Every structure is written in structure tokens, then in C-alpha cells.
Amino acid sequence: MIRVLLAEDMLMIRAALSALLRLETDLTVVSEVTRGDEIVPAALEHRPDVAIVDIDLPVVDGITAAAELRERLPECRVLVLTALGRPGQVRRALAAGITAFLVKDAPGERLADAVRRTHAGLRVLDPELVSSAMEYGESPLTQRETTVLREAAKGVSAEETAGRLHLSAGTVRNYLTSAITKTGARNKIDAVRIAEDAGWL
């Protein structure tokens, strides 16, 4: 029996995934969580063989949580749920040593097979997903531009960011302008979207 932990914050999706898994005679769902920071404590308590982890989880994102899980409970393998539209996240996950991915819009019957393959230590990689992830390459942003753009993504003003980073507001605006140029964006909001999709933030 393969013991499964399910980490998904959207109730309907989690319920559907859980229902699909419970149809299989060799799989059992031992824990369900809704936030990234709940994954490791639940895994340490329930000792799953495979953790199915959504990338976009609240509090702690799925990749960060999965990396911590691999460190704290290495015998638990991780299957990441992702969307084709976020190739940068796949690159981050690959860099973190995760080699099992399931695209969220995959047919339901592929879920059980993906869990079994993950449990067996096999790679579960959608060629289109990996190809899309490799397309973006490394971030063109400097560390400071990334930090400033990350603050902008949270809705923090240039003045507040300047105070936090001990810079002048003008310098922060210069970093933002540079980030907009390097990402080929139209404005700050567009730069944030491009950088997030590429996994640069």
C-alpha cells in the first residue's frame, strides 16, 4: 500500500484528487493539508511514501516546502502539481532536485500512475513542460533588481522599499526601470508578471 500525503489549497481540486486516489486499491491518502507550512509536520506524523504537492500553496510555496520535506524525510518522494503556464517554477523545482511533475490539466487516470512511478523512484516529466521550462533560461536581473521587483510584487512603494533596503527612492526607481527594460516589460506590473512566470522572483 502506497501512503499518500496531499497538499492542495483549493477544496474542490483537493477533494477530486483525494477521490481519484481512493479508487485505487494500492493507494491510501493518509493526510491532507492546505498550506505549505503544514506539509513537513504532517509528513513527520503520518510518514507518507509520496507527497503530492501543489506549487502554489499559501504561507510557504510548494517548492520550498518540498525541498524541506526532502531534507527532513528523504524516504518520502515528492510529486509536484503544476500548470503549463508557469515554466519558471518547474525550473526552480528541478534545481531543488524534484523530478516528478504532473500537469494540473492532465487526465485523471494519469494521477495514480504518476504516484506509482514517483514511489518507484522514476522520473515523471512531461516533455512539453520541461521544454517550456528550459525556454526561459537564467534570470537577467541582478540580485538588487530582483529584490526591488519582489517588493514591488507585494505592493510596496518605492519609498518604503528604499527605507527597507537603506537606499534612496531614486535608486529604487532606477532598479525598477532597469528590471522593466531587462524583462522587456511595458511597466512595473508587467515586469512582475513576466519575472514570476519565468521563476525569477
Side-chain angles (χ1 to χ4, degrees):
M1 187 66 78
I2 300 172
R3 296 166 59 81
V4 178
L5 178 148
L6 186 53
E8 166 61 61
D9 63 318
M10 297 184 74
L11 179 59
M12 284 180 63
I13 294 175
R14 190 173 69 254
L17 292 171
S18 183
L20 283 169
L21 292 169
R22 290 176 201 281
L23 292 173
E24 305 295 324
T25 57
D26 60 335
L27 306 178
T28 181
V29 177
V30 295
S31 181
E32 296 182 25
V33 299
T34 60
R35 300 181 347 202
D37 62 328
E38 297 171 335
I39 292 174
V40 171
L44 291 173
E45 180 183 348
H46 298 282
R47 300 285 165 169
D49 300 304
V50 176
I52 300 174
V53 178
D54 180 21
I55 278 187
D56 295 310
L57 290 172
V59 186
V60 174
D61 70 85
I63 297 170
T64 302
E68 186 186 350
L69 178 59
R70 289 182 75 238
E71 188 178 306
R72 300 279 301 277
L73 196 67
E75 63 270 26
C76 177
R77 301 192 183 278
V78 177
L79 171 63
V80 168
L81 296 180
T82 186
L84 270 176
R86 305 299 295 272
Q89 291 181 325
V90 176
R91 266 204 1 271
R92 273 186 61 216
L94 286 168
I98 297 163
T99 57
F101 300 88
L102 186 64
V103 181
K104 278 190 170 183
D105 62 357
E109 59 270 17
R110 287 186 53 195
L111 177 63
D113 180 58
V115 170
R116 292 183 189 105
R117 289 172 56 81
T118 302
H119 180 250
L122 301 173
R123 289 176 178 264
V124 181
L125 299 173
D126 183 310
E128 187 181 347
L129 189 63
V130 175
S131 166
S132 174
M134 294 303 116
E135 222 171 81
Y136 277 88
E138 292 302 311
S139 173
L141 304 173
T142 66
Q143 186 173 352
R144 190 62 94 178
E145 288 163 351
T146 302
T147 301
V148 167
L149 202 56
R150 199 174 279 134
E151 290 297 305
K154 298 176 194 169
V156 178
S157 70
E159 289 72 19
E160 286 178 89
T161 301
R164 290 181 186 186
L165 301 179
H166 308 292
L167 301 169
S168 72
T171 300
V172 169
R173 286 191 197 92
N174 288 341
Y175 281 129
L176 281 172
T177 300
S178 178
I180 290 166
T181 302
K182 287 181 179 180
T183 57
R186 295 182 306 275
N187 52 41
K188 176 176 68 175
I189 294 167
D190 195 32
V192 167
R193 180 191 58 77
I194 290 168
E196 284 183 338
D197 284 352
W200 297 335
L201 292 187

